[in-house]
Amino acid sequence: MISAEPLLLPVKRRGVGHWMTSYRAMLRWQLTDMRLLLPMTVLVQLLSGVGLVLGFGLLIPEMTERLALFLSTGAVVVSLVVVGVIMGPQLIAQQKSSGSYDFMWSLPVPRSSAAAAWVTLNTIIAVPSMAGALGAAWWRYGVSFDVSPGVIPAVGLTLITGTLLGYALAHAVPKPDITQLISQLLIFVIFGFSPISYPIENLPGWLADLNQFLPFYPMANVVRDALTDGIVADVGSSYLVLSIWAIAAAVVAGVALRRRK
């Protein structure tokens, strides 16, 4: 059961100790704020991850092992991305509408600790969905995954980048209605024109080149490389692109939040 005790912050507002105390306080705040919604959100995301894997199989009757690996690892990436890029901005937009947003950002906590708490919350929501997608692919298509130690940095960077992108969007755009509209547009971009669940060669040349510099294809590239063998050749550039997007999103979010002081 989540504690409803008030947030207790140290008087000394600097140093690692203050940061860790602030992180725990903000995480408790986020969990308390979502105490009724969180279990249902985790369940819905889990069912979405499994549903993506099974639904793709209905669209493609002639399922080869290579295509099954693309679809299943793509479902994993979508599970990780949707939470941060789509659902995160919508939740923050709801906080703005309800008035809890202004109170939360009036608390004397480092902005980075609040962002870290948000990443942790998104991890709690996304990881079960990722596991469900992998399990459904193994059960439905009989594919075997070659999981490497690189799965930790791949999944971690994908989650962090996706969360920070949504975080920057939610805080930089002042009007909640516009935030929700943009997040809905991103769903169309992710599912329709980002080579997450299919090879990038399927796209026209100009769109394939553009996706090399957008964050979603590199997310799929690094996660697919960590879960399979022989499908992805080189992921160095994908890690670089993701890192740049993560840093840029963190800067945008930091500037937007600093203006609230």
Side-chain angles (χ1 to χ4, degrees), residues 18 39 41-42 45 67 74 85 90 95-96 110 115 132 135 153 218 250 252 254 261:
H18 172 60
T41 302
V42 172
Q45 287 300 118
L67 185 55
V85 176
Q90 293 179 350
Q95 290 177 351
K96 288 182 177 180
V252 170
K261 292 184 177 180

Side-chain angles (χ1 to χ4, degrees), residues 60-78:
I60 307 173
E62 298 293 332
M63 184 69 69
T64 64
E65 181 179 3
R66 184 174 185 272
L67 185 55
L69 286 173
F70 262 96
L71 293 177
S72 55
T73 53
V76 168
V77 175
V78 170

Side-chain angles (χ1 to χ4, degrees), residues 165 168 243-253:
L165 285 172
S243 299
I244 293 173
W245 275 99
I247 293 171
V251 170
V252 170

Side-chain angles (χ1 to χ4, degrees), residues 56-158:
F56 282 140
L58 299 176
L59 294 172
I60 307 173
E62 298 293 332
M63 184 69 69
T64 64
E65 181 179 3
R66 184 174 185 272
L67 185 55
L69 286 173
F70 262 96
L71 293 177
S72 55
T73 53
V76 168
V77 175
V78 170
S79 299
L80 297 174
V81 171
V82 165
V83 175
V85 176
I86 308 299
M87 193 179 71
Q90 293 179 350
L91 290 174
I92 294 175
Q94 291 174 7
Q95 290 177 351
K96 288 182 177 180
S97 299
S98 66
S100 61
Y101 179 85
D102 290 326
F103 170 75
M104 184 175 66
W105 290 108
S106 68
L107 297 172
V109 297
R111 301 316 193 208
S112 58
S113 66
W118 189 253
V119 172
T120 303
L121 178 65
N122 284 349
T123 302
I124 294 172
I125 297 172
V127 168
S129 178
M130 169 186 169
L134 291 175
W138 172 80
W139 172 77
R140 176 65 177 84
Y141 307 118
V143 294
S144 57
F145 298 98
D146 187 12
V147 182
S148 71
V151 70
I152 296 177
V155 170
L157 184 57
T158 296

